[in-house]
Amino acid sequence: MTIRDRQEYSLTIDGNALALLDQGTVTLDDSWAPYVQAKLTVLTPVDATILDSRDLPQVTLKLLQQFGDGLQFTSDLTTMFAGGTSASVTALWGGWATSAVTNLIGAWNSTRIAATSLEANLYITAVTHHPDGTTDLSLASGEVTLQGVRQTLRIAATNGSIAEFFKVTIRDIFPYLSSETLVAGDADAIIPADSLAGIFGVPPASWNSDHWSLLQGFATMADLRLWCHPDGIFRLTPRWESVPGTIALDSIIDAPETINREDDSWADGVIVEYLEDPTTPERPTVSDAGTTTATKVAVVNINVVTPLGGEYVDPAPAAILARMLERGRSIEVTNVNRFNTAPNMAVTIDEPALGWLPASTGVVDAVTFDLETKQMRVTVRELQEA
Amino acid sequence: MTSMTNGVVTITPDQVLVWESSTEAGNAIHELVGGGVDVTLGSDHTQMGTIRCIFLDEAAATAAHSAMRSSAVWTLTSSLSIGMTFVRAGQMTLKLHEQTRAAWHLDIGYREVT
């Protein structure tokens, strides 16, 4: 059965629309930072200085897929019910599941299919103006704001909570954020108070690493992952935390399988290296996992002095190794865009035409939405026969 | 009668001899591995093609050719049903009619803009 959809894209800066061309890509990948990276092209605005990447301007990207004429964004509801009361909403949607709001009115398909969307607050990191009146933009999620900063941290003594430390640090970068910079209830780990004394008792004069490396050093040791959600708010989550929901890949255009030991994301041994600090020679600079029997060893450099002793450092490479072992064999599915696809989401593949691949389940490793072809490339790991 | 203006210059050919218009579908057709297709619907792209104008006067023909070389948006009005706003796209050719040697043909490649 042919599925009919329509895809619309928009890009705004300070509420003003940019003329976004139907080309470019948007990638979500939790194996790199920034988590969201995009390459887009717009018509050069009259005042091109608003795109100056040296100012890290923030833009809002909306990707929307409809399967009929219907409501999509919450703002559509506001427009539709402006001046009304909640009773008017109830009158229209009474008896319907919440998902019906995102479903279709006047569907183009014989079955209702929920609309998909992705809204991302991104920063412009590079701009190229072309003589033909177009401008290429490189965009990235909030991690980029931490990656270039090396100023003295104004860190008060913390209670040993990694999450609290992150909040203080992130607020230091985003003083205009008055509310949460990390989502409440996210994962945490406690740093022993005695280990903190030498680090946070007195604000250091300077750090020999950028803020991102500093925070990642802590997160890695606690087997946590700090990342910036497309909504612009940072998350501190268990490294293996899955994303709710399952994406069914049911409009497959291609699905090659790759087994590649040269892939940088695969190794069967890991060494984690930290910076050396002559003032704290007792801090380890190296920890490893699996290296005695490994056939390929990956070296992960963390550009920060280890803030903790060996017993806290040792779990880090094991966690990284476990993740790397899941890679190396992957299937890259080209499917029609589904903008609700995200890394760490469960995925099902049931396409009889893929004779070599029985109905399977897996986990989304990364996804790239192509705005020109209207198709996405989904890298799937942990494939298991359903 | 047909005329084209950019707000500063107005061109009025003696006749529009040929009017070609084509559009490209905005739909994306996805060929699925299992056979069949899915479709992402999209609006047709704006029309494009060639307008062939005839001028009986050489000076008017060369003046029109020169004016059309400027970077401008043009508005076409016509007693035919071909009114639109357009910019030049692709080639433009000015040539003397081979048989009569008394008329000038100006072929203007165009792309409609909105």
PDB file of all heavy atoms in Angstrom, chain A residues 133-156:
ATOM      1  N   GLY A 133      23.607  33.961  -4.036  1.00  0.00           N
ATOM      2  CA  GLY A 133      22.552  34.400  -3.135  1.00  0.00           C
ATOM      3  C   GLY A 133      22.116  33.364  -2.127  1.00  0.00           C
ATOM      4  O   GLY A 133      21.106  33.544  -1.450  1.00  0.00           O
ATOM      5  N   THR A 134      22.855  32.279  -2.024  1.00  0.00           N
ATOM      6  CA  THR A 134      22.536  31.266  -1.025  1.00  0.00           C
ATOM      7  C   THR A 134      23.610  31.249   0.054  1.00  0.00           C
ATOM      8  O   THR A 134      24.740  31.695  -0.164  1.00  0.00           O
ATOM      9  CB  THR A 134      22.424  29.858  -1.648  1.00  0.00           C
ATOM     10  OG1 THR A 134      23.691  29.499  -2.213  1.00  0.00           O
ATOM     11  CG2 THR A 134      21.360  29.831  -2.720  1.00  0.00           C
ATOM     12  N   THR A 135      23.243  30.729   1.198  1.00  0.00           N
ATOM     13  CA  THR A 135      24.170  30.646   2.326  1.00  0.00           C
ATOM     14  C   THR A 135      24.092  29.255   2.933  1.00  0.00           C
ATOM     15  O   THR A 135      22.995  28.769   3.238  1.00  0.00           O
ATOM     16  CB  THR A 135      23.806  31.697   3.401  1.00  0.00           C
ATOM     17  OG1 THR A 135      23.999  33.002   2.857  1.00  0.00           O
ATOM     18  CG2 THR A 135      24.685  31.541   4.632  1.00  0.00           C
ATOM     19  N   ASP A 136      25.241  28.621   3.061  1.00  0.00           N
ATOM     20  CA  ASP A 136      25.307  27.314   3.722  1.00  0.00           C
ATOM     21  C   ASP A 136      25.524  27.521   5.221  1.00  0.00           C
ATOM     22  O   ASP A 136      26.366  28.325   5.630  1.00  0.00           O
ATOM     23  CB  ASP A 136      26.469  26.481   3.166  1.00  0.00           C
ATOM     24  CG  ASP A 136      26.250  26.112   1.702  1.00  0.00           C
ATOM     25  OD1 ASP A 136      25.073  26.077   1.274  1.00  0.00           O
ATOM     26  OD2 ASP A 136      27.247  25.875   1.003  1.00  0.00           O
ATOM     27  N   LEU A 137      24.773  26.774   6.012  1.00  0.00           N
ATOM     28  CA  LEU A 137      24.881  26.883   7.463  1.00  0.00           C
ATOM     29  C   LEU A 137      25.299  25.536   8.046  1.00  0.00           C
ATOM     30  O   LEU A 137      24.775  24.494   7.668  1.00  0.00           O
ATOM     31  CB  LEU A 137      23.530  27.271   8.080  1.00  0.00           C
ATOM     32  CG  LEU A 137      22.873  28.579   7.611  1.00  0.00           C
ATOM     33  CD1 LEU A 137      21.505  28.724   8.279  1.00  0.00           C
ATOM     34  CD2 LEU A 137      23.760  29.767   7.953  1.00  0.00           C
ATOM     35  N   SER A 138      26.242  25.581   8.968  1.00  0.00           N
ATOM     36  CA  SER A 138      26.526  24.422   9.811  1.00  0.00           C
ATOM     37  C   SER A 138      25.925  24.711  11.173  1.00  0.00           C
ATOM     38  O   SER A 138      26.139  25.790  11.732  1.00  0.00           O
ATOM     39  CB  SER A 138      28.040  24.208   9.946  1.00  0.00           C
ATOM     40  OG  SER A 138      28.607  23.899   8.707  1.00  0.00           O
ATOM     41  N   LEU A 139      25.179  23.749  11.684  1.00  0.00           N
ATOM     42  CA  LEU A 139      24.463  23.963  12.942  1.00  0.00           C
ATOM     43  C   LEU A 139      24.754  22.824  13.902  1.00  0.00           C
ATOM     44  O   LEU A 139      25.015  21.692  13.489  1.00  0.00           O
ATOM     45  CB  LEU A 139      22.956  24.047  12.690  1.00  0.00           C
ATOM     46  CG  LEU A 139      22.532  25.117  11.687  1.00  0.00           C
ATOM     47  CD1 LEU A 139      21.613  24.539  10.648  1.00  0.00           C
ATOM     48  CD2 LEU A 139      21.877  26.273  12.383  1.00  0.00           C
ATOM     49  N   ALA A 140      24.681  23.135  15.193  1.00  0.00           N
ATOM     50  CA  ALA A 140      24.945  22.112  16.199  1.00  0.00           C
ATOM     51  C   ALA A 140      24.129  22.417  17.445  1.00  0.00           C
ATOM     52  O   ALA A 140      23.757  23.567  17.700  1.00  0.00           O
ATOM     53  CB  ALA A 140      26.437  22.070  16.528  1.00  0.00           C
ATOM     54  N   SER A 141      23.886  21.368  18.220  1.00  0.00           N
ATOM     55  CA  SER A 141      23.130  21.546  19.447  1.00  0.00           C
ATOM     56  C   SER A 141      24.021  22.133  20.553  1.00  0.00           C
ATOM     57  O   SER A 141      25.202  22.399  20.371  1.00  0.00           O
ATOM     58  CB  SER A 141      22.494  20.221  19.878  1.00  0.00           C
ATOM     59  OG  SER A 141      23.444  19.175  19.855  1.00  0.00           O
ATOM     60  N   GLY A 142      23.440  22.317  21.742  1.00  0.00           N
ATOM     61  CA  GLY A 142      24.035  23.130  22.791  1.00  0.00           C
ATOM     62  C   GLY A 142      25.420  22.742  23.260  1.00  0.00           C
ATOM     63  O   GLY A 142      26.122  23.577  23.851  1.00  0.00           O
ATOM     64  N   GLU A 143      25.846  21.501  23.031  1.00  0.00           N
ATOM     65  CA  GLU A 143      27.183  21.108  23.483  1.00  0.00           C
ATOM     66  C   GLU A 143      28.250  22.054  22.964  1.00  0.00           C
ATOM     67  O   GLU A 143      29.269  22.285  23.620  1.00  0.00           O
ATOM     68  CB  GLU A 143      27.513  19.684  23.020  1.00  0.00           C
ATOM     69  CG  GLU A 143      26.650  18.590  23.620  1.00  0.00           C
ATOM     70  CD  GLU A 143      25.440  18.289  22.761  1.00  0.00           C
ATOM     71  OE1 GLU A 143      24.974  19.189  22.041  1.00  0.00           O
ATOM     72  OE2 GLU A 143      24.946  17.136  22.807  1.00  0.00           O
ATOM     73  N   VAL A 144      28.006  22.620  21.787  1.00  0.00           N
ATOM     74  CA  VAL A 144      29.017  23.462  21.153  1.00  0.00           C
ATOM     75  C   VAL A 144      29.332  24.681  22.011  1.00  0.00           C
ATOM     76  O   VAL A 144      30.438  25.226  21.955  1.00  0.00           O
ATOM     77  CB  VAL A 144      28.549  23.860  19.731  1.00  0.00           C
ATOM     78  CG1 VAL A 144      27.412  24.852  19.794  1.00  0.00           C
ATOM     79  CG2 VAL A 144      29.683  24.411  18.925  1.00  0.00           C
ATOM     80  N   THR A 145      28.380  25.096  22.833  1.00  0.00           N
ATOM     81  CA  THR A 145      28.623  26.267  23.673  1.00  0.00           C
ATOM     82  C   THR A 145      29.611  25.965  24.781  1.00  0.00           C
ATOM     83  O   THR A 145      30.244  26.863  25.321  1.00  0.00           O
ATOM     84  CB  THR A 145      27.308  26.766  24.296  1.00  0.00           C
ATOM     85  OG1 THR A 145      26.770  25.702  25.107  1.00  0.00           O
ATOM     86  CG2 THR A 145      26.302  27.141  23.223  1.00  0.00           C
ATOM     87  N   LEU A 146      29.719  24.691  25.149  1.00  0.00           N
ATOM     88  CA  LEU A 146      30.656  24.311  26.210  1.00  0.00           C
ATOM     89  C   LEU A 146      32.024  23.950  25.662  1.00  0.00           C
ATOM     90  O   LEU A 146      33.012  23.946  26.397  1.00  0.00           O
ATOM     91  CB  LEU A 146      30.103  23.105  26.984  1.00  0.00           C
ATOM     92  CG  LEU A 146      28.786  23.306  27.733  1.00  0.00           C
ATOM     93  CD1 LEU A 146      28.270  21.982  28.245  1.00  0.00           C
ATOM     94  CD2 LEU A 146      28.984  24.258  28.889  1.00  0.00           C
ATOM     95  N   GLN A 147      32.063  23.625  24.363  1.00  0.00           N
ATOM     96  CA  GLN A 147      33.298  23.085  23.810  1.00  0.00           C
ATOM     97  C   GLN A 147      34.378  24.125  23.583  1.00  0.00           C
ATOM     98  O   GLN A 147      35.547  23.792  23.479  1.00  0.00           O
ATOM     99  CB  GLN A 147      32.998  22.342  22.501  1.00  0.00           C
ATOM    100  CG  GLN A 147      32.269  21.039  22.752  1.00  0.00           C
ATOM    101  CD  GLN A 147      31.787  20.357  21.484  1.00  0.00           C
ATOM    102  OE1 GLN A 147      31.488  21.025  20.502  1.00  0.00           O
ATOM    103  NE2 GLN A 147      31.683  19.046  21.506  1.00  0.00           N
ATOM    104  N   GLY A 148      33.979  25.393  23.509  1.00  0.00           N
ATOM    105  CA  GLY A 148      35.002  26.392  23.230  1.00  0.00           C
ATOM    106  C   GLY A 148      35.391  27.226  24.429  1.00  0.00           C
ATOM    107  O   GLY A 148      36.251  28.096  24.329  1.00  0.00           O
ATOM    108  N   VAL A 149      34.761  26.987  25.552  1.00  0.00           N
ATOM    109  CA  VAL A 149      34.929  27.885  26.693  1.00  0.00           C
ATOM    110  C   VAL A 149      35.965  27.342  27.658  1.00  0.00           C
ATOM    111  O   VAL A 149      35.911  26.183  28.061  1.00  0.00           O
ATOM    112  CB  VAL A 149      33.574  28.071  27.425  1.00  0.00           C
ATOM    113  CG1 VAL A 149      33.724  29.055  28.572  1.00  0.00           C
ATOM    114  CG2 VAL A 149      32.531  28.546  26.436  1.00  0.00           C
ATOM    115  N   ARG A 150      36.894  28.190  28.049  1.00  0.00           N
ATOM    116  CA  ARG A 150      37.930  27.766  28.979  1.00  0.00           C
ATOM    117  C   ARG A 150      38.108  28.781  30.106  1.00  0.00           C
ATOM    118  O   ARG A 150      39.146  28.808  30.740  1.00  0.00           O
ATOM    119  CB  ARG A 150      39.275  27.621  28.253  1.00  0.00           C
ATOM    120  CG  ARG A 150      39.326  26.457  27.280  1.00  0.00           C
ATOM    121  CD  ARG A 150      40.597  26.469  26.483  1.00  0.00           C
ATOM    122  NE  ARG A 150      40.602  25.404  25.478  1.00  0.00           N
ATOM    123  CZ  ARG A 150      41.172  24.219  25.663  1.00  0.00           C
ATOM    124  NH1 ARG A 150      41.788  23.948  26.781  1.00  0.00           N
ATOM    125  NH2 ARG A 150      41.138  23.294  24.721  1.00  0.00           N
ATOM    126  N   GLN A 151      37.101  29.606  30.315  1.00  0.00           N
ATOM    127  CA  GLN A 151      37.264  30.627  31.343  1.00  0.00           C
ATOM    128  C   GLN A 151      37.290  29.980  32.730  1.00  0.00           C
ATOM    129  O   GLN A 151      36.927  28.822  32.897  1.00  0.00           O
ATOM    130  CB  GLN A 151      36.105  31.627  31.284  1.00  0.00           C
ATOM    131  CG  GLN A 151      34.831  31.119  31.911  1.00  0.00           C
ATOM    132  CD  GLN A 151      33.607  31.424  31.061  1.00  0.00           C
ATOM    133  OE1 GLN A 151      33.646  31.285  29.856  1.00  0.00           O
ATOM    134  NE2 GLN A 151      32.545  31.809  31.701  1.00  0.00           N
ATOM    135  N   THR A 152      37.689  30.752  33.710  1.00  0.00           N
ATOM    136  CA  THR A 152      37.692  30.267  35.077  1.00  0.00           C
ATOM    137  C   THR A 152      36.269  29.945  35.503  1.00  0.00           C
ATOM    138  O   THR A 152      35.354  30.729  35.297  1.00  0.00           O
ATOM    139  CB  THR A 152      38.259  31.341  36.019  1.00  0.00           C
ATOM    140  OG1 THR A 152      39.577  31.639  35.587  1.00  0.00           O
ATOM    141  CG2 THR A 152      38.279  30.850  37.439  1.00  0.00           C
ATOM    142  N   LEU A 153      36.106  28.786  36.052  1.00  0.00           N
ATOM    143  CA  LEU A 153      34.777  28.406  36.497  1.00  0.00           C
ATOM    144  C   LEU A 153      34.493  29.007  37.861  1.00  0.00           C
ATOM    145  O   LEU A 153      35.337  28.977  38.750  1.00  0.00           O
ATOM    146  CB  LEU A 153      34.664  26.885  36.593  1.00  0.00           C
ATOM    147  CG  LEU A 153      34.740  26.126  35.276  1.00  0.00           C
ATOM    148  CD1 LEU A 153      34.703  24.637  35.539  1.00  0.00           C
ATOM    149  CD2 LEU A 153      33.597  26.519  34.381  1.00  0.00           C
ATOM    150  N   ARG A 154      33.301  29.549  37.987  1.00  0.00           N
ATOM    151  CA  ARG A 154      32.908  30.084  39.280  1.00  0.00           C
ATOM    152  C   ARG A 154      32.159  28.987  40.025  1.00  0.00           C
ATOM    153  O   ARG A 154      30.942  28.944  40.081  1.00  0.00           O
ATOM    154  CB  ARG A 154      32.027  31.319  39.093  1.00  0.00           C
ATOM    155  CG  ARG A 154      32.757  32.465  38.438  1.00  0.00           C
ATOM    156  CD  ARG A 154      31.890  33.701  38.381  1.00  0.00           C
ATOM    157  NE  ARG A 154      30.724  33.506  37.526  1.00  0.00           N
ATOM    158  CZ  ARG A 154      30.767  33.635  36.205  1.00  0.00           C
ATOM    159  NH1 ARG A 154      31.889  33.946  35.610  1.00  0.00           N
ATOM    160  NH2 ARG A 154      29.681  33.468  35.492  1.00  0.00           N
ATOM    161  N   ILE A 155      32.921  28.091  40.557  1.00  0.00           N
ATOM    162  CA  ILE A 155      32.307  26.924  41.176  1.00  0.00           C
ATOM    163  C   ILE A 155      32.368  27.047  42.691  1.00  0.00           C
ATOM    164  O   ILE A 155      33.449  27.145  43.278  1.00  0.00           O
ATOM    165  CB  ILE A 155      33.018  25.633  40.754  1.00  0.00           C
ATOM    166  CG1 ILE A 155      32.902  25.457  39.245  1.00  0.00           C
ATOM    167  CG2 ILE A 155      32.434  24.439  41.473  1.00  0.00           C
ATOM    168  CD1 ILE A 155      33.685  24.282  38.731  1.00  0.00           C
ATOM    169  N   ALA A 156      31.222  27.056  43.292  1.00  0.00           N
ATOM    170  CA  ALA A 156      31.175  27.009  44.749  1.00  0.00           C
ATOM    171  C   ALA A 156      31.318  25.553  45.159  1.00  0.00           C
ATOM    172  O   ALA A 156      31.243  24.642  44.337  1.00  0.00           O
ATOM    173  CB  ALA A 156      29.852  27.567  45.239  1.00  0.00           C
TER     174      ALA A 156
END
